[in-house]
Amino acid sequence: MASGNAIRGSRVGAGPMGEAERGESAPRLRISFWCSNGHETQPSFASDAQVPETWDCPRCGFPAGQDEDNPPAPPRTEPYKTHLAYVRERRSDADGEAILAEALAKLRGEI
């Protein structure tokens, strides 16, 4: 059953807020940014604010710049490396064989 309360779901003091209540808004600039996928985004900035060099594209997440013909390159993503892959970068197969032989000799009690 519905009650006869007409203001259900609103809070006290809620009402239309206009320019008279909150003051005048700051003058704004809309700046265009383009990403490497050709997406354009136009965030607005206060006219006296410092505009950043790059902006993240809300569609693909790539960095976007103000030059449409020369947008920033997308970030290079490195594939996930395992611990073994990092060890193989630091050590050669000969180093690995020497370390293994030393560890086996230690286990056997030869050292």
Side-chain angles (χ1 to χ4, degrees):
M1 270 214 223
S3 66
N5 193 349
I7 60 170
R8 182 178 186 145
S10 65
R11 63 183 197 277
V12 176
M17 285 186 68
E19 294 292 323
E21 287 187 29
R22 65 176 175 227
E24 295 202 18
S25 60
R28 298 273 178 191
L29 295 173
R30 294 191 70 77
I31 307 293
S32 292
F33 288 89
W34 288 271
C35 71
S36 59
N37 288 333
H39 302 141
E40 179 185 11
T41 183
Q42 291 184 327
S44 64
F45 298 95
S47 61
D48 59 348
Q50 181 179 358
V51 178
E53 294 289 322
T54 61
W55 192 263
D56 289 339
C57 177
R59 291 180 63 191
C60 63
F62 287 170
Q66 295 180 31
D67 185 7
E68 183 178 8
D69 298 328
N70 191 17
R76 194 168 151 248
T77 56
E78 301 264 339
Y80 175 76
K81 289 186 185 177
T82 63
H83 176 70
L84 183 58
Y86 283 111
V87 170
R88 286 184 176 162
E89 284 180 0
R90 290 193 313 265
R91 309 225 187 253
S92 67
D93 288 339
D95 290 341
E97 291 293 330
I99 292 171
L100 178 63
E102 181 182 329
L104 288 174
K106 192 174 191 180
L107 284 174
R108 294 180 184 139
E110 297 172 6
I111 294 181

